[in-house]
Amino acid sequence: MAGLDIAVIGLVVLAVLLIFKGVKTVPQGYRYTVERFGRYTRTLEPGLNIIIPFIDSIGARMNVMEQVLDVPTQEVITRDNASCAADAVAFYQVLNAAEAAYQVSDLQSAILNLTMTNIRSVMGSMDLDELLSNREIINDKLLHVVDEAVGPWGIKVTRVEIKDIQPPKDLVDAMARQMKAEREKRAQVLEAEGSRNAQILRAEGAKQSAILQAEGQREAAFRDAEARERLAEAEAKATKMVSEAIAAGDVQAINYFVAQKYTEAMASIGTAPNSKIVLMPMEASSLIGSLGGIGAIAREVFGDGGGNGPASTRQATPRTVPVRNPFDTAKQEG
């Protein structure tokens, strides 16, 4: 019984050992390579896998998730001999676990050195201004070059990003002064353009104002001429009527006409702004007599209301109206 028990126990221990050696569990996001007597045979997928105990063994445990690789700061000399420091970050993923395990030694170090070398190569072929303004172009070039280089290793480089570019301090100061000068120049240009536009607008406004003023003066002159023309027509018509009345033998008409002109002349002399004393070269009684003649004409024309019709419809009898001095009349009434 003792020998049988030992055999059973040995078999149980052997079975447990075979299970431990032959059953492998691969976590999600990893791939295990299987080696038989040191030679690669296959790759284990995530989950429960069975291998031949003591014959097959696990070779490499590869992480197939996307990983980040921090690239240290690199000193770069640009094409225009400007020195600057740049650091970057790279993202890669293992697509073929067997190639990544057996085609390259120390995978991360290889990717890191390859990225650093290409950063110096790509950035060194560009000017400093291009480096500072075209980071996307630099990232695209680095991604293309590095991804093509690591392709035989079963690696896919998904992104290469330049985190920071640091030019020398004196160069940064010079660039700041240049930017300030450019902005001042732009401000002066804009100010000059604004001043020019303002002058143009003012000139256009003055032009329109002059045009409108000229049109207004022309319209006023036209209306003034029209008014003078109508006044002249009225004057000519009145003169014609007086002439016809005189030709018909109406002496009162000429007396009225002369008295009217005489009165207008005296009014003009009396209302002159620089006249303080008016020296009359004619007798005042002449003007009074003219006024009396006007009154006589009015009495004859309108009468006392007992006429048979308007004065224009009756035959005028030529006669001379005596001119009396109103001062003598006043004395008689007194």
Side-chain angles (χ1 to χ4, degrees):
M1 289 296 295
L4 183 59
D5 293 338
I6 293 173
V8 171
I9 294 172
L11 291 175
V12 171
V13 172
L14 181 60
V16 172
L17 186 60
L18 290 175
I19 293 173
F20 181 77
K21 289 290 186 180
V23 178
K24 299 296 180 181
T25 302
V26 180
Q28 185 66 38
Y30 284 84
R31 300 292 186 275
Y32 291 176
T33 60
V34 177
E35 298 175 356
R36 179 171 297 174
F37 301 114
R39 181 181 180 183
Y40 168 77
T41 56
R42 61 193 178 96
T43 302
L44 300 181
E45 298 294 329
L48 186 63
N49 296 271
I50 298 175
I51 62 175
I52 302 175
F54 305 108
I55 296 177
D56 295 338
S57 62
I58 301 298
R61 294 174 171 83
M62 302 302 301
N63 185 351
V64 297
M65 295 182 289
E66 188 173 1
Q67 302 178 64
V68 60
L69 189 62
D70 191 11
V71 181
T73 303
Q74 300 295 309
E75 292 292 334
V76 179
I77 298 177
T78 62
R79 185 172 57 186
D80 53 353
N81 296 325
S83 177
C84 61
D87 55 352
V89 60
F91 296 85
Y92 71 94
Q93 186 177 13
V94 176
L95 300 181
N96 191 318
E99 292 180 352
Y102 302 110
Q103 294 294 329
V104 61
S105 177
D106 196 355
L107 179 62
Q108 288 193 351
S109 178
I111 297 175
L112 180 61
N113 284 278
L114 185 62
T115 305
M116 292 167 58
T117 303
N118 284 280
I119 286 176
R120 289 192 292 268
S121 176
V122 172
M123 296 180 66
S125 63
M126 303 174 68
D127 294 334
L128 181 61
D129 292 338
E130 295 178 350
L131 293 182
L132 299 176
S133 59
N134 297 320
R135 291 195 182 186
E136 293 183 358
I137 298 177
I138 299 173
N139 295 336
D140 292 339
K141 288 183 177 181
L142 287 174
L143 178 61
H144 176 73
V145 172
V146 176
D147 184 53
E148 185 177 0
V150 300
W153 302 343
I155 304 297
K156 172 65 177 176
V157 177
T158 56
R159 284 174 293 177
V160 178
E161 301 286 343
I162 299 296
K163 293 194 299 183
D164 191 18
I165 299 176
Q166 298 177 355
K169 188 177 183 303
D170 56 348
L171 190 58
V172 173
D173 295 338
M175 293 173 62
R177 290 194 299 269
Q178 180 183 2
M179 181 182 65
K180 182 179 179 181
E182 287 291 336
R183 294 192 178 276
E184 289 179 352
K185 174 184 175 182
R186 191 182 307 173
Q188 292 176 358
V189 170
L190 292 177
E191 184 178 358
E193 290 180 355
S195 178
R196 184 190 65 179
N197 293 334
Q199 292 178 1
I200 292 174
L201 292 177
R202 283 196 294 268
E204 289 291 337
K207 176 183 175 182
Q208 294 295 329
S209 176
I211 291 174
L212 293 177
Q213 185 177 3
E215 291 180 353
Q217 292 177 355
R218 184 184 65 178
E219 184 67 20
F222 176 77
R223 293 185 180 275
D224 189 22
E226 186 178 2
R228 289 196 302 271
E229 181 182 358
R230 291 184 179 180
L231 181 61
E233 291 178 356
E235 191 74 20
K237 187 176 182 181
T239 305
K240 181 180 179 182
M241 293 177 65
V242 171
S243 299
E244 290 177 354
I246 294 172
D250 190 358
V251 182
Q252 286 82 358
I254 191 169
N255 290 335
Y256 172 78
F257 185 76
V258 172
Q260 181 185 8
K261 296 299 181 181
Y262 195 89
T263 304
E264 291 178 354
M266 293 301 295
S268 299
I269 294 173
T271 57
N274 57 349
S275 298
K276 303 301 182 180
I277 299 175
V278 179
L279 300 178
M280 305 295 291
M282 71 289 293
E283 295 179 357
S285 60
S286 299
L287 176 59
I288 305 299
S290 299
L291 296 176
I294 295 172
I297 293 171
R299 285 194 299 272
E300 181 179 351
V301 173
F302 298 104
D304 295 333
N308 294 326
S312 62
T313 61
R314 297 197 305 269
Q315 182 67 29
T317 302
R319 61 191 181 90
T320 303
V321 179
V323 178
R324 293 181 300 173
N325 194 336
F327 295 103
D328 298 336
T329 304
K331 291 179 181 180
Q332 293 175 4
E333 292 179 355

